[in-house]
Amino acid sequence: MTPGDEVAGRYRLEELAGRGPMSEVWRAHDSTLDRTVALKILAPAADLERFQREARAIASLGHENVMRVYDYGEAAAGPFIALEWLHGGTLEDRLGHGALPPEEAAGYARGVAAGLAHLHERGMVHRDLKPANVLFDDEGRPKLADFGLARAAEGYGTLTEAGTVLGTAAYISPEQASGEPATPASDVYALGVILFRMLTGALPFNADGALALLEMHRDQPAPAVEEINPNAPPELAALTNAALQKDPAARPADGAAVLAALGLAPVVVADAEETQQTAVLPAVAREPGRVSRRGAVAVALALLLLAGLGGVLAWAVTRPPATAPAGVVSAAGSGSTQHHRTTTSHKTTAATSTHSSTTSPTTSTRARTTTTRTTTARTTTARTTTTTPTTTQGTTTAPTTTTTPTTTATTTTTAATTT
């Protein structure tokens, strides 16, 4: 394959990113979706079943710390997998200059542990965790890659039929080195080796050959982190030492346990079947006799409407005639006083000021007033006192009418006067 070649009529090869005995990886352009992808093409003599297993394993996952798969197919060039293009390099690249700062090492460990927690929660084991299989995106987020050896957590050993050990010897767990099935604790051991290297700049075991290295992982205890780097943070050193225990039961059980030790909780992503179900919230119990706010507003509006209709009906029924009869006094407005002309048995009745300077003794008759309450409007009812005219020393004093306002809750007031 050369740059410019097209695979499956869709992926145009641009640059070779890596090559191994199993496959080669190209940076390619997806002309259908107009995006850059990592196109992994299986080598002619490679294991097709393992390749297909890798595609299915990645497709079943969905986490920010796991590489995404876009497509799988077979073309003239061979079977291929279209993956998320991560061009931030690998963790192996970043470890090329020795130990990392503790904060940086802790951040990478959290990302890898989160990806493992997602994997383990779905019953899978990576079985080949190493710095070369941890890639970074544009934001510096670590992502797990290369799931060619990923299997279900139970039922599979580590040795092939020919007796070849699967996985990189420098990061293999003691149980894998002994040919026993891998478990989530096996991935935790590999993460412990990665942590050891990030904190110290070295591997816990070194040997000239792979078999000697396997025996060391299986039989020899790993050195303590603080023996090589006394300045390593105690909490990270303690976690690393625990992850490198020979007995799987003595290690953190899985990625979620490592994440908890690092001070974080795993993010649970629901399966597709779970997200299709609708959650029904329980009804909230209401206190006895308690009326909801919406109900109270509705009742108040209904009462206001009834009161308005009653007022209009009362006004229509009790509306006074156009010409008021004699003896009827009507006052309108709040706090106002009006003087009306009143006809009595005298020939002339004139309204004068209540501060008259001269008033002769008179005989007065107080009017009897009958008030009929009809509506709720504010009105004014006048109380009338009539004084008969008298003559003193040739001066005639006009009868005086004094009006004292009182306020009642009526619209029309009828006063019956008896002299």
Side-chain angles (χ1 to χ4, degrees):
M1 303 295 294
T2 59
D5 291 347
E6 193 172 77
V7 177
R10 173 176 179 178
Y11 303 102
R12 186 179 68 254
L13 303 183
E14 296 180 342
E15 181 184 359
L16 181 63
R19 176 181 286 134
M22 294 289 299
S23 61
E24 58 184 25
V25 179
W26 286 81
R27 187 191 72 203
H29 180 75
D30 181 357
S31 59
T32 301
L33 297 179
D34 191 22
R35 63 182 175 185
T36 301
V37 300
L39 196 68
K40 189 172 185 178
I41 304 175
L42 184 68
D47 186 353
L48 177 60
E49 182 183 354
R50 173 180 169 177
F51 193 72
Q52 293 173 337
R53 184 169 60 246
E54 178 182 6
R56 289 192 295 266
I58 304 177
S60 66
L61 305 173
H63 192 275
E64 63 178 3
N65 293 112
V66 176
M67 173 185 279
R68 292 178 293 174
V69 61
Y70 295 143
D71 190 17
Y72 173 83
E74 297 184 7
F80 66 89
I81 305 175
L83 300 161
E84 178 182 11
W85 173 249
L86 301 173
H87 54 87
T90 67
L91 183 56
E92 183 67 42
D93 300 332
R94 303 191 182 197
L95 287 171
H97 303 289
L100 301 178
E103 298 80 5
E104 185 177 354
Y108 296 161
R110 292 188 188 98
V112 174
L116 287 178
H118 181 71
L119 189 69
H120 296 160
E121 195 270 334
R122 279 152 179 74
M124 299 177 63
V125 180
H126 192 285
R127 300 203 310 166
D128 193 21
L129 182 62
K130 55 187 178 182
N133 289 340
V134 178
L135 280 64
F136 292 89
D137 62 10
D138 294 339
E139 299 178 356
R141 182 186 296 110
K143 297 198 174 192
L144 302 183
D146 198 349
F147 288 80
L149 298 184
R151 291 280 191 128
E154 67 281 341
Y156 292 92
T158 304
L159 301 180
T160 65
E161 293 181 358
T164 304
V165 177
L166 296 178
T168 303
Y171 299 89
I172 198 168
S173 68
E175 58 271 20
Q176 287 176 283
S178 300
E180 299 175 2
T183 67
S186 304
D187 287 342
V188 171
Y189 184 91
L191 178 55
V193 178
I194 294 174
L195 263 171
F196 189 97
R197 187 177 172 189
M198 288 194 296
L199 294 174
T200 66
L203 288 167
F205 301 108
N206 288 283
D208 294 334
L211 291 179
L213 198 55
L214 292 178
E215 292 177 356
M216 296 175 71
H217 277 289
R218 184 187 62 194
D219 302 328
Q220 296 183 15
V225 171
E226 54 271 21
E227 294 178 2
I228 301 176
N229 181 10
N231 297 323
E235 62 278 5
L236 289 179
L239 175 61
T240 303
N241 295 335
L244 290 176
Q245 293 298 308
K246 299 300 178 185
D247 183 4
R251 305 173 203 151
D254 51 20
V258 175
L259 202 59
L262 291 168
L264 294 177
V267 177
V268 178
V269 181
D271 292 332
E273 293 81 2
E274 296 176 356
T275 57
Q276 292 175 357
Q277 297 179 0
T278 302
V280 180
L281 298 178
V284 178
R286 182 172 295 167
E287 297 179 4
R290 183 176 179 181
V291 181
S292 66
R293 185 176 180 180
R294 183 179 297 178
V297 172
V299 172
L301 291 176
L303 292 176
L304 288 175
L305 180 61
L306 290 175
L309 292 175
V312 172
L313 181 61
W315 176 82
V317 173
T318 61
R319 182 174 57 185
T323 302
V328 176
V329 180
S330 176
S334 175
S336 63
T337 303
Q338 296 185 3
H339 299 281
H340 298 268
R341 185 172 181 179
T342 305
T343 304
T344 63
S345 60
H346 307 289
K347 292 181 179 180
T348 303
T349 302
T352 64
S353 173
T354 58
H355 300 286
S356 179
S357 60
T358 305
T359 304
S360 298
T362 60
T363 302
S364 61
T365 304
R366 178 170 294 180
R368 181 181 302 166
T369 304
T370 303
T371 303
T372 303
R373 180 176 298 172
T374 59
T375 69
T376 60
R378 291 176 59 119
T379 62
T380 302
T381 304
R383 186 172 61 189
T384 306
T385 302
T386 306
T387 306
T388 57
T390 59
T391 302
T392 304
Q393 295 181 355
T395 301
T396 302
T397 301
T400 301
T401 302
T402 302
T403 304
T404 303
T406 61
T407 302
T408 61
T410 62
T411 300
T412 304
T413 305
T414 304
T417 305
T418 305
T419 56

